[in-house]
Amino acid sequence: MEEIRIGVAGLGGRGIHWMRLLQSVPGYRIVALCDPITATHERALAALKDSGGVATYAAYEDFLADSNVEAVALTVRSPRQGALAAQALEAGKHVNQEVPAAHFIDDCWRIVVAAERTGKVYQLAEQTRYLGVMQAWHDMVAEGQLGRVTFVEGQYFHYYVSQFFWEKATGTFYGPTELAEHPEAEPTWSALMPSIHYLPHELSPLLYVLDDRVVSVTGMSTQGPSSAHPEIPQPDMQVSLMKTEKDAILRLAASFAQPQPPRDYHWYQIMGTRGSVEWRRSARDRPKMWLASAQMHDMAEVDWQFQRTDAPAEARGSGHGDADYYVHAAFRDAVMGTKPLEFDVYRAMDTAAPAILAAESIAQNSKLLSVPDFRPSAARPAGSMPAES
Ligand SMILES: NC(=O)c1ccc[n+]([C@@H]2O[C@H](COP(=O)([O-])OP(=O)(O)OC[C@H]3O[C@@H](n4cnc5c(N)ncnc54)[C@H](O)[C@@H]3O)[C@@H](O)[C@H]2O)c1
Protein backbone atom coordinates (compact mmCIF):
# COMPACT_ATOMS: atom_id res chain seq x y z
CA MET A 1 0.00 0.00 0.00
CA GLU A 2 1.61 3.28 -1.09
CA GLU A 3 -1.19 5.65 -0.18
CA ILE A 4 -3.97 5.47 2.38
CA ARG A 5 -7.24 6.62 0.86
CA ILE A 6 -8.59 8.77 3.67
CA GLY A 7 -11.83 10.67 4.17
CA VAL A 8 -12.09 13.68 6.47
CA ALA A 9 -15.28 14.01 8.57
CA GLY A 10 -15.75 17.36 10.34
CA LEU A 11 -14.67 20.31 8.24
CA GLY A 12 -14.20 23.01 10.89
CA GLY A 13 -10.90 24.65 11.79
CA ARG A 14 -9.26 21.41 12.82
CA GLY A 15 -10.49 19.47 9.80
CA ILE A 16 -8.97 22.06 7.46
CA HIS A 17 -5.69 21.95 9.42
CA TRP A 18 -5.62 18.15 9.11
CA MET A 19 -6.29 18.41 5.38
CA ARG A 20 -3.13 20.52 5.03
CA LEU A 21 -1.12 17.91 6.96
CA LEU A 22 -2.62 14.97 5.08
CA GLN A 23 -1.41 16.62 1.87
CA SER A 24 2.12 17.23 3.19
CA VAL A 25 2.85 14.06 5.20
CA PRO A 26 3.69 11.34 2.64
CA GLY A 27 1.38 8.34 2.39
CA TYR A 28 -2.11 9.84 2.22
CA ARG A 29 -4.63 10.69 -0.47
CA ILE A 30 -7.79 12.53 0.56
CA VAL A 31 -10.71 10.94 -1.33
CA ALA A 32 -13.82 12.17 0.54
CA LEU A 33 -15.08 14.95 2.79
CA CYS A 34 -18.06 15.00 5.13
CA ASP A 35 -19.88 17.59 7.20
CA PRO A 36 -23.62 18.08 7.78
CA ILE A 37 -23.04 21.83 7.33
CA THR A 38 -22.82 21.90 3.54
CA ALA A 39 -21.54 25.49 3.67
CA THR A 40 -18.22 24.01 4.87
CA HIS A 41 -17.73 21.85 1.75
CA GLU A 42 -16.62 24.62 -0.58
CA ARG A 43 -13.95 25.92 1.81
CA ALA A 44 -12.69 22.38 2.34
CA LEU A 45 -12.52 21.61 -1.38
CA ALA A 46 -10.60 24.87 -1.85
CA ALA A 47 -8.01 23.64 0.68
CA LEU A 48 -7.16 20.68 -1.58
CA LYS A 49 -4.32 20.89 -4.08
CA ASP A 50 -6.35 18.60 -6.36
CA SER A 51 -10.06 18.26 -5.62
CA GLY A 52 -10.76 16.15 -8.71
CA GLY A 53 -12.72 13.01 -7.83
CA VAL A 54 -13.06 13.95 -4.15
CA ALA A 55 -16.57 13.03 -2.96
CA THR A 56 -18.48 15.29 -0.55
CA TYR A 57 -21.12 14.07 1.86
CA ALA A 58 -23.54 15.71 4.27
CA ALA A 59 -24.59 12.41 5.90
CA TYR A 60 -21.96 10.47 7.86
CA GLU A 61 -23.65 7.15 7.01
CA ASP A 62 -23.26 7.85 3.26
CA PHE A 63 -19.61 8.82 3.80
CA LEU A 64 -18.98 5.53 5.64
CA ALA A 65 -20.69 3.60 2.85
CA ASP A 66 -18.12 4.94 0.32
CA SER A 67 -15.93 1.90 -0.40
CA ASN A 68 -13.16 4.17 -1.71
CA VAL A 69 -12.61 5.42 1.88
CA GLU A 70 -10.18 3.10 3.67
CA ALA A 71 -9.53 5.33 6.67
CA VAL A 72 -11.45 8.07 8.45
CA ALA A 73 -9.92 11.26 9.82
CA LEU A 74 -12.52 12.18 12.42
CA THR A 75 -12.31 15.87 13.29
CA VAL A 76 -15.84 16.49 14.52
CA ARG A 77 -16.79 18.34 17.69
CA SER A 78 -19.75 16.51 19.09
CA PRO A 79 -21.04 14.77 22.22
CA ARG A 80 -21.32 11.75 19.89
CA GLN A 81 -17.73 11.75 18.64
CA GLY A 82 -16.93 8.46 20.38
CA ALA A 83 -19.95 6.77 18.82
CA LEU A 84 -18.96 8.18 15.41
CA ALA A 85 -15.47 6.67 15.78
CA ALA A 86 -16.93 3.29 16.73
CA GLN A 87 -19.37 3.47 13.81
CA ALA A 88 -16.46 4.00 11.39
CA LEU A 89 -14.56 0.99 12.82
CA GLU A 90 -17.73 -1.09 12.59
CA ALA A 91 -17.99 -0.04 8.91
CA GLY A 92 -14.49 -1.52 8.39
CA LYS A 93 -12.51 1.74 8.29
CA HIS A 94 -9.29 2.59 10.10
CA VAL A 95 -9.88 5.62 12.34
CA ASN A 96 -7.65 8.54 13.28
CA GLN A 97 -9.71 10.60 15.73
CA GLU A 98 -9.34 14.07 17.18
CA VAL A 99 -9.48 14.46 20.94
CA PRO A 100 -11.26 13.69 23.18
CA ALA A 101 -11.97 10.06 22.30
CA ALA A 102 -15.47 10.02 23.75
CA HIS A 103 -17.90 11.76 26.09
CA PHE A 104 -19.59 8.57 27.37
CA ILE A 105 -18.09 5.41 28.93
CA ASP A 106 -20.34 3.24 26.72
CA ASP A 107 -18.75 4.85 23.67
CA CYS A 108 -15.25 4.01 25.00
CA TRP A 109 -16.26 0.35 25.21
CA ARG A 110 -17.86 0.46 21.77
CA ILE A 111 -14.59 1.78 20.26
CA VAL A 112 -12.48 -0.85 22.04
CA VAL A 113 -14.73 -3.75 21.07
CA ALA A 114 -15.06 -2.56 17.46
CA ALA A 115 -11.26 -2.21 17.16
CA GLU A 116 -10.77 -5.70 18.62
CA ARG A 117 -13.42 -7.33 16.43
CA THR A 118 -12.35 -5.71 13.15
CA GLY A 119 -8.58 -5.54 13.68
CA LYS A 120 -8.68 -2.04 12.14
CA VAL A 121 -6.30 0.64 13.42
CA TYR A 122 -7.79 3.08 15.91
CA GLN A 123 -5.67 6.03 16.95
CA LEU A 124 -6.55 8.94 19.16
CA ALA A 125 -4.59 11.77 17.55
CA GLU A 126 -3.35 13.23 20.83
CA GLN A 127 -0.14 15.00 19.98
CA THR A 128 1.28 16.48 23.21
CA ARG A 129 2.68 13.08 24.23
CA TYR A 130 5.21 13.66 21.42
CA LEU A 131 6.46 17.01 22.79
CA GLY A 132 10.19 17.28 23.42
CA VAL A 133 9.65 18.08 27.10
CA MET A 134 7.46 15.00 27.57
CA GLN A 135 10.10 12.77 25.97
CA ALA A 136 12.69 14.21 28.39
CA TRP A 137 10.45 13.72 31.42
CA HIS A 138 9.47 10.20 30.29
CA ASP A 139 13.13 9.19 30.09
CA MET A 140 13.95 10.79 33.46
CA VAL A 141 11.09 8.93 35.17
CA ALA A 142 12.01 5.64 33.44
CA GLU A 143 15.63 6.04 34.60
CA GLY A 144 14.45 6.67 38.17
CA GLN A 145 15.95 10.18 38.33
CA LEU A 146 12.85 11.50 40.14
CA GLY A 147 12.57 8.47 42.44
CA ARG A 148 9.03 7.18 42.96
CA VAL A 149 6.53 9.64 41.46
CA THR A 150 3.98 10.71 44.07
CA PHE A 151 2.28 13.90 42.82
CA VAL A 152 1.50 15.09 39.32
CA GLU A 153 -0.35 18.17 38.13
CA GLY A 154 -1.74 19.16 34.77
CA GLN A 155 -4.06 21.93 33.68
CA TYR A 156 -5.68 23.11 30.49
CA PHE A 157 -6.76 26.75 30.86
CA HIS A 158 -7.80 28.14 27.50
CA TYR A 159 -10.07 31.19 27.32
CA TYR A 160 -12.02 29.91 24.35
CA VAL A 161 -15.34 31.76 24.48
CA SER A 162 -15.11 33.16 20.94
CA GLN A 163 -16.31 29.75 19.71
CA PHE A 164 -18.96 29.14 22.36
CA PHE A 165 -21.97 30.11 20.20
CA TRP A 166 -22.72 29.46 16.57
CA GLU A 167 -25.21 29.80 13.79
CA LYS A 168 -25.71 26.10 13.12
CA ALA A 169 -26.71 26.42 9.46
CA THR A 170 -23.41 28.00 8.41
CA GLY A 171 -21.02 27.05 11.23
CA THR A 172 -20.31 30.74 11.98
CA PHE A 173 -19.03 31.24 15.53
CA TYR A 174 -19.87 34.04 17.96
CA GLY A 175 -18.57 34.97 21.39
CA PRO A 176 -20.81 35.97 24.30
CA THR A 177 -20.44 39.70 23.58
CA GLU A 178 -21.88 39.18 20.07
CA LEU A 179 -25.09 37.51 21.21
CA ALA A 180 -27.18 40.71 21.28
CA GLU A 181 -26.55 41.14 17.53
CA HIS A 182 -27.05 37.43 16.82
CA PRO A 183 -30.00 36.23 18.91
CA GLU A 184 -30.26 33.17 16.61
CA ALA A 185 -26.87 31.88 17.85
CA GLU A 186 -26.94 28.69 19.93
CA PRO A 187 -24.34 27.34 22.39
CA THR A 188 -21.80 24.98 20.80
CA TRP A 189 -20.74 21.67 22.37
CA SER A 190 -17.65 23.53 23.66
CA ALA A 191 -19.94 25.65 25.85
CA LEU A 192 -22.14 22.78 26.96
CA MET A 193 -19.69 19.96 27.73
CA PRO A 194 -18.23 19.58 31.22
CA SER A 195 -14.83 21.25 30.81
CA ILE A 196 -13.19 18.42 32.79
CA HIS A 197 -13.98 16.10 29.84
CA TYR A 198 -11.21 17.90 27.99
CA LEU A 199 -8.18 16.31 29.64
CA PRO A 200 -6.61 14.36 26.74
CA HIS A 201 -3.73 16.85 26.53
CA GLU A 202 -3.01 16.28 30.21
CA LEU A 203 -3.73 12.58 30.66
CA SER A 204 -2.09 11.43 27.43
CA PRO A 205 1.37 13.00 27.98
CA LEU A 206 1.38 12.51 31.76
CA LEU A 207 0.37 8.84 31.61
CA TYR A 208 3.03 8.39 28.89
CA VAL A 209 5.62 9.96 31.20
CA LEU A 210 4.50 7.80 34.14
CA ASP A 211 3.78 4.63 32.11
CA ASP A 212 0.67 4.29 34.22
CA ARG A 213 -3.13 4.35 34.18
CA VAL A 214 -5.75 5.99 36.39
CA VAL A 215 -7.72 3.66 38.67
CA SER A 216 -9.97 6.06 40.63
CA VAL A 217 -11.33 9.57 40.26
CA THR A 218 -13.12 12.31 42.13
CA GLY A 219 -14.11 15.75 40.87
CA MET A 220 -15.22 19.18 42.01
CA SER A 221 -16.66 22.12 40.09
CA THR A 222 -17.68 25.72 40.53
CA GLN A 223 -21.35 26.34 39.82
CA GLY A 224 -22.57 26.88 36.26
CA PRO A 225 -23.33 29.12 34.49
CA SER A 226 -19.98 30.87 34.23
CA SER A 227 -19.48 33.82 36.57
CA ALA A 228 -17.12 35.41 34.06
CA HIS A 229 -19.77 35.17 31.30
CA PRO A 230 -23.26 34.41 32.67
CA GLU A 231 -24.49 33.65 29.11
CA ILE A 232 -22.24 30.55 29.11
CA PRO A 233 -23.76 27.44 30.72
CA GLN A 234 -20.35 25.90 31.50
CA PRO A 235 -18.88 26.45 34.99
CA ASP A 236 -15.64 28.47 35.13
CA MET A 237 -13.47 25.82 36.81
CA GLN A 238 -13.49 22.04 37.18
CA VAL A 239 -10.83 20.06 39.05
CA SER A 240 -10.20 16.36 39.47
CA LEU A 241 -8.08 14.25 41.80
CA MET A 242 -7.02 10.89 40.41
CA LYS A 243 -5.10 7.91 41.77
CA THR A 244 -2.97 5.77 39.46
CA GLU A 245 -2.16 2.06 39.44
CA LYS A 246 1.43 2.91 40.51
CA ASP A 247 0.06 4.92 43.47
CA ALA A 248 0.67 8.48 42.19
CA ILE A 249 -1.87 11.24 42.85
CA LEU A 250 -2.86 13.45 39.91
CA ARG A 251 -4.48 16.87 40.26
CA LEU A 252 -5.90 17.98 36.92
CA ALA A 253 -7.98 21.05 36.06
CA ALA A 254 -9.77 22.44 33.01
CA SER A 255 -11.25 25.86 32.34
CA PHE A 256 -12.43 27.48 29.11
CA ALA A 257 -14.88 30.19 30.18
CA GLN A 258 -12.79 32.47 32.39
CA PRO A 259 -10.13 34.91 31.17
CA GLN A 260 -6.50 33.83 31.61
CA PRO A 261 -3.19 35.68 31.50
CA PRO A 262 -1.27 35.26 28.24
CA ARG A 263 0.76 32.05 28.67
CA ASP A 264 0.79 28.43 27.47
CA TYR A 265 -2.64 26.80 27.69
CA HIS A 266 -1.10 23.78 29.38
CA TRP A 267 0.91 23.53 32.57
CA TYR A 268 2.40 20.40 34.11
CA GLN A 269 4.54 19.30 37.03
CA ILE A 270 5.82 15.95 38.27
CA MET A 271 7.14 15.40 41.80
CA GLY A 272 8.90 12.28 43.00
CA THR A 273 10.76 11.13 46.09
CA ARG A 274 14.13 12.16 44.57
CA GLY A 275 13.32 15.13 42.35
CA SER A 276 10.77 17.21 40.48
CA VAL A 277 10.23 18.89 37.12
CA GLU A 278 7.78 21.58 36.09
CA TRP A 279 6.71 23.44 32.97
CA ARG A 280 6.98 27.26 32.81
CA ARG A 281 4.28 29.29 34.57
CA SER A 282 4.27 32.23 32.15
CA ALA A 283 5.86 33.35 28.89
CA ARG A 284 8.76 34.96 30.82
CA ASP A 285 9.24 31.92 33.03
CA ARG A 286 11.37 28.84 32.23
CA PRO A 287 10.83 25.11 32.89
CA LYS A 288 12.53 23.92 36.06
CA MET A 289 14.08 20.85 37.63
CA TRP A 290 15.30 19.81 41.06
CA LEU A 291 17.22 16.63 41.89
CA ALA A 292 17.67 15.64 45.55
CA SER A 293 20.99 13.96 44.78
CA ALA A 294 22.60 16.93 42.97
CA GLN A 295 23.50 19.39 45.79
CA MET A 296 20.88 21.85 44.44
CA HIS A 297 19.83 24.73 46.72
CA ASP A 298 17.08 25.84 44.33
CA MET A 299 15.30 24.60 41.26
CA ALA A 300 17.35 25.02 38.09
CA GLU A 301 16.00 26.46 34.87
CA VAL A 302 16.14 24.02 31.97
CA ASP A 303 15.57 24.95 28.33
CA TRP A 304 13.02 22.22 27.61
CA GLN A 305 10.70 23.16 24.80
CA PHE A 306 7.63 21.74 23.11
CA GLN A 307 9.76 21.29 19.95
CA ARG A 308 11.83 18.13 19.85
CA THR A 309 15.55 18.36 19.12
CA ASP A 310 15.24 15.26 16.90
CA ALA A 311 12.22 16.38 14.81
CA PRO A 312 12.49 15.52 11.10
CA ALA A 313 12.26 18.41 8.63
CA GLU A 314 8.71 17.42 7.64
CA ALA A 315 7.53 17.90 11.25
CA ARG A 316 8.56 21.56 11.35
CA GLY A 317 5.63 23.97 11.43
CA SER A 318 3.02 21.17 11.61
CA GLY A 319 1.40 22.78 14.67
CA HIS A 320 1.57 22.57 18.48
CA GLY A 321 5.37 22.72 18.69
CA ASP A 322 5.73 20.42 15.64
CA ALA A 323 3.85 17.66 17.48
CA ASP A 324 0.89 17.53 15.05
CA TYR A 325 3.08 15.74 12.49
CA TYR A 326 3.67 12.70 14.69
CA VAL A 327 0.06 11.54 14.94
CA HIS A 328 -0.25 11.38 11.16
CA ALA A 329 3.10 9.61 10.76
CA ALA A 330 2.22 7.09 13.50
CA PHE A 331 -1.25 6.39 12.06
CA ARG A 332 0.17 5.93 8.54
CA ASP A 333 2.84 3.51 9.79
CA ALA A 334 0.27 1.48 11.75
CA VAL A 335 -2.18 1.25 8.83
CA MET A 336 0.62 0.31 6.43
CA GLY A 337 1.78 -2.31 8.92
CA THR A 338 5.32 -0.94 9.24
CA LYS A 339 5.12 0.02 12.94
CA PRO A 340 2.45 -0.80 15.54
CA LEU A 341 0.94 2.05 17.54
CA GLU A 342 2.57 2.79 20.89
CA PHE A 343 -0.55 4.82 21.78
CA ASP A 344 -3.00 1.98 21.23
CA VAL A 345 -6.75 1.91 21.71
CA TYR A 346 -6.45 0.95 25.40
CA ARG A 347 -4.06 3.80 26.21
CA ALA A 348 -6.40 6.11 24.29
CA MET A 349 -9.34 5.11 26.49
CA ASP A 350 -7.10 5.61 29.55
CA THR A 351 -7.15 9.32 28.59
CA ALA A 352 -10.92 9.53 28.07
CA ALA A 353 -12.55 7.45 30.78
CA PRO A 354 -11.05 9.23 33.85
CA ALA A 355 -12.20 12.58 32.45
CA ILE A 356 -15.73 11.35 31.76
CA LEU A 357 -15.88 9.87 35.27
CA ALA A 358 -14.53 13.08 36.82
CA ALA A 359 -17.64 14.83 35.47
CA GLU A 360 -19.78 11.94 36.70
CA SER A 361 -18.19 12.32 40.15
CA ILE A 362 -19.02 16.03 40.13
CA ALA A 363 -22.64 15.14 39.30
CA GLN A 364 -22.62 12.71 42.27
CA ASN A 365 -21.34 15.21 44.85
CA SER A 366 -17.66 14.25 44.40
CA LYS A 367 -18.20 10.53 44.88
CA LEU A 368 -14.99 8.49 44.32
CA LEU A 369 -15.44 6.40 41.15
CA SER A 370 -13.41 3.46 39.79
CA VAL A 371 -12.02 3.65 36.26
CA PRO A 372 -12.40 0.51 34.12
CA ASP A 373 -9.35 -1.13 32.56
CA PHE A 374 -10.24 -1.56 28.90
CA ARG A 375 -7.64 -4.27 28.21
CA PRO A 376 -8.89 -7.81 27.57
CA SER A 377 -8.93 -10.13 30.58
CA ALA A 378 -10.34 -13.47 31.67
CA ALA A 379 -13.57 -11.65 32.58
CA ARG A 380 -13.70 -9.83 29.23
CA PRO A 381 -12.17 -11.68 26.29
CA ALA A 382 -11.16 -9.43 23.36
CA GLY A 383 -14.12 -8.58 21.16
CA SER A 384 -16.78 -8.92 23.84
CA MET A 385 -18.51 -6.18 25.79
CA PRO A 386 -17.96 -6.17 29.58
CA ALA A 387 -20.49 -8.25 31.45
CA GLU A 388 -21.96 -5.38 33.44
CA SER A 389 -22.80 -3.10 30.47
N1 LIG B 1 -5.59 18.19 19.11
C1 LIG B 1 -5.77 19.49 19.22
O1 LIG B 1 -4.86 20.23 19.53
C2 LIG B 1 -7.13 20.08 18.94
C3 LIG B 1 -7.27 21.47 18.77
C4 LIG B 1 -8.55 21.96 18.48
C5 LIG B 1 -9.61 21.09 18.40
N2 LIG B 1 -9.43 19.77 18.59
C6 LIG B 1 -10.54 18.79 18.45
O2 LIG B 1 -10.82 18.71 17.05
C7 LIG B 1 -12.23 18.51 16.85
C8 LIG B 1 -12.74 19.58 15.89
O3 LIG B 1 -12.52 20.84 16.43
P1 LIG B 1 -12.86 22.16 15.60
O4 LIG B 1 -12.32 23.29 16.38
O5 LIG B 1 -12.47 21.99 14.19
O6 LIG B 1 -14.45 22.15 15.73
P2 LIG B 1 -15.51 22.95 14.87
O7 LIG B 1 -16.74 23.05 15.70
O8 LIG B 1 -14.89 24.17 14.26
O9 LIG B 1 -15.78 21.97 13.63
C9 LIG B 1 -16.33 20.68 13.82
C10 LIG B 1 -17.11 20.29 12.57
O10 LIG B 1 -17.59 18.95 12.77
C11 LIG B 1 -18.82 18.88 12.11
N3 LIG B 1 -19.59 17.70 12.54
C12 LIG B 1 -20.32 17.54 13.67
N4 LIG B 1 -20.93 16.33 13.65
C13 LIG B 1 -20.56 15.73 12.48
C14 LIG B 1 -20.84 14.47 11.90
N5 LIG B 1 -21.66 13.59 12.49
N6 LIG B 1 -20.28 14.16 10.71
C15 LIG B 1 -19.45 15.04 10.08
N7 LIG B 1 -19.16 16.25 10.60
C16 LIG B 1 -19.69 16.60 11.79
C17 LIG B 1 -19.50 20.20 12.47
O11 LIG B 1 -20.58 20.48 11.60
C18 LIG B 1 -18.32 21.17 12.32
O12 LIG B 1 -18.26 21.74 11.02
C19 LIG B 1 -12.87 18.54 18.24
O13 LIG B 1 -13.08 17.21 18.67
C20 LIG B 1 -11.83 19.21 19.12
O14 LIG B 1 -11.89 18.74 20.44
C21 LIG B 1 -8.20 19.24 18.86
Side-chain angles (χ1 to χ4, degrees), residues 144-147 273-276 289-297:
Q145 292 188 46
L146 304 186
T273 52
R274 290 172 51 203
S276 60
M289 172 182 81
W290 176 77
L291 298 177
S293 59
Q295 293 290 329
M296 296 173 72
H297 292 268

Side-chain angles (χ1 to χ4, degrees), residues 325-370:
Y325 160 81
Y326 291 91
V327 296
H328 298 289
F331 182 71
R332 175 200 60 203
D333 294 348
V335 171
M336 290 191 174
T338 53
K339 197 175 170 196
L341 285 178
E342 172 271 330
F343 189 38
D344 62 18
V345 67
Y346 307 111
R347 289 188 172 132
M349 296 312 129
D350 289 344
T351 73
I356 296 167
L357 291 169
E360 184 60 33
S361 168
I362 289 167
Q364 294 187 44
N365 203 19
S366 303
K367 183 177 175 186
L368 187 70
L369 298 175
S370 297

Side-chain angles (χ1 to χ4, degrees), residues 127-140 208-209 279 303-311 320-323 326:
Q127 72 277 49
T128 63
R129 69 193 287 114
Y130 294 98
L131 295 174
V133 60
M134 292 303 163
Q135 185 68 58
W137 291 3
H138 169 273
D139 295 350
M140 290 178 77
Y208 168 64
V209 167
W279 188 239
D303 187 27
W304 286 311
Q305 299 193 11
F306 284 167
Q307 281 80 2
R308 298 177 70 102
T309 54
D310 57 359
H320 295 95
D322 300 341
Y326 291 91

Side-chain angles (χ1 to χ4, degrees), residues 9-15 34-37 40 58 60 74-78 80-81 84 98-100 125-127 156 160 163 166 173 198 201 320 324:
L11 305 175
R14 204 64 189 152
C34 173
D35 198 300
I37 303 176
T40 62
Y60 190 62
L74 191 61
T75 51
V76 303
R77 190 184 287 277
S78 161
R80 297 188 52 235
Q81 60 199 55
L84 295 173
E98 258 300 0
V99 301
E126 200 297 309
Q127 72 277 49
Y156 186 17
Y160 192 61
Q163 298 202 4
W166 69 343
F173 291 112
Y198 214 103
H201 299 312
H320 295 95
D324 284 5

